[in-house]
Amino acid sequence: DAGVTQSPTHLIKTRGQQVTLRCSPKSGHDTVSWYQQALGQGPQFIFQYYEEEERQRGNFPDRFSGHQFPNYSSELNVNALLLGDSALYLCASSLNRNQGGYTFGSGTRLTVV
Amino acid sequence: SQQGEEDPQALSIQEGENATMNCSYKTSINNLQWYRQNSGRGLVHLILIRSNEREKHSGRLRVTLDTSKKSSSLLITASRAADTASYFCATDDTGRRALTFGSGTRLQVQP
């Protein structure tokens, strides 16, 4: 049973560019959440998708957007990249009706130069 | 924003010793979870304790929760070098479908 799969593993982008990160949830899970983790800090919640809609959003600008597909997989898009967007981006999947059961992927390390 | 603080920020112990980490939070919660992270990679779920529970055990892990003090502790007994990692507490806050993480404790277990 595959866990959460994220791609790519590492990515280097130039300031001002756009990036798309991808996440496949754990089998049986229907909800996907995205987190940003800066170096030396705890993860911070970006947003959560359920039934192909953004259900909850953290304190992030609208340069950060996402999408959930009918197969429950998800994308995180970041436009107009800033140096400060350099971080580890983590995807977590869960089952909507099961409070608290999150499975995290290994993350995508984004470096903006 | 971070939910609260973890204490200590860093901890270095010898193999076989116990490690205790503390976490404080600010809001009403459904549950509190502890995660381990190795070398800045993905988070591994360790244990979940619900707001109506006071103590929970899983193998060498013991978690306590005091909702009146809005605090939790994670005890790792008989530590091993493989326990070296960063440990994070995360709260599943009432009315909010998201985890709020603490700043983490970096644990170093010396062989």
Side-chain angles (χ1 to χ4, degrees), chain B:
Chain B
S1 60
Q2 304 287 160
Q3 164 71 290
E5 293 301 319
E6 292 183 57
D7 171 51
Q9 291 187 336
L11 180 61
S12 182
I13 59 174
Q14 297 295 125
E15 217 168 18
E17 294 181 336
N18 295 341
T20 300
M21 294 160 242
N22 302 295
C23 166
S24 63
Y25 59 92
K26 298 173 183 174
T27 61
S28 176
I29 64 172
N30 295 313
N31 62 70
L32 185 144
Q33 305 175 32
W34 285 88
Y35 288 85
R36 184 185 72 215
Q37 186 176 45
N38 291 84
S39 302
R41 296 308 295 171
L43 295 165
V44 175
H45 181 266
L46 296 176
I47 196 165
L48 180 153
I49 185 165
R50 302 196 184 281
S51 60
N52 61 352
E53 297 176 311
R54 292 297 167 259
E55 187 171 314
K56 202 162 184 179
H57 297 254
S58 177
R60 294 184 296 113
L61 306 180
R62 172 179 171 258
V63 169
T64 62
L65 178 64
D66 187 335
T67 53
S68 66
K69 294 181 180 178
K70 290 186 166 52
S71 67
S72 175
S73 67
L74 171 68
L75 169 66
I76 303 174
T77 60
S79 63
R80 306 165 181 168
D83 294 329
T84 294
S86 291
Y87 291 81
F88 294 91
C89 70
T91 54
D92 197 336
D93 305 332
T94 304
R96 186 169 181 263
R97 298 175 180 270
L99 292 176
T100 305
F101 284 84
S103 49
T105 293
R106 292 183 303 280
L107 174 65
Q108 177 77 41
V109 181
Q110 308 285 354

Side-chain angles (χ1 to χ4, degrees), chain A:
Chain A
D1 180 24
V4 177
T5 304
Q6 290 189 244
S7 64
T9 306
H10 295 86
L11 202 52
I12 300 175
K13 288 287 190 177
T14 304
R15 225 173 0 171
Q17 285 189 315
Q18 178 263 346
V19 68
T20 298
L21 311 182
R22 295 178 175 82
C23 173
S24 293
K26 180 179 177 179
S27 178
H29 283 181
D30 57 9
T31 303
V32 173
S33 305
W34 287 92
Y35 291 81
Q36 180 196 65
Q37 185 178 22
L39 201 61
Q41 298 184 22
Q44 297 215 6
F45 174 71
I46 303 174
F47 43 52
Q48 183 181 87
Y49 276 83
Y50 172 65
E51 292 189 334
E52 302 179 49
E53 301 233 340
E54 183 184 291
R55 176 162 69 176
Q56 186 100 34
R57 190 178 182 91
N59 188 25
F60 279 81
D62 55 13
R63 296 188 297 110
F64 289 77
S65 63
H67 191 77
Q68 185 181 35
F69 299 94
N71 67 352
Y72 307 119
S73 67
S74 177
E75 289 181 349
L76 164 66
N77 301 293
V78 187
N79 294 322
L81 284 167
L82 303 174
L83 296 179
D85 295 332
S86 295
L88 179 68
Y89 288 84
L90 295 162
C91 170
S93 72
S94 57
L95 186 59
N96 178 58
R97 58 179 172 79
N98 185 15
Q99 187 96 48
Y102 294 92
T103 302
F104 279 81
S106 296
T108 294
R109 172 73 63 186
L110 172 66
T111 302
V112 182
V113 297

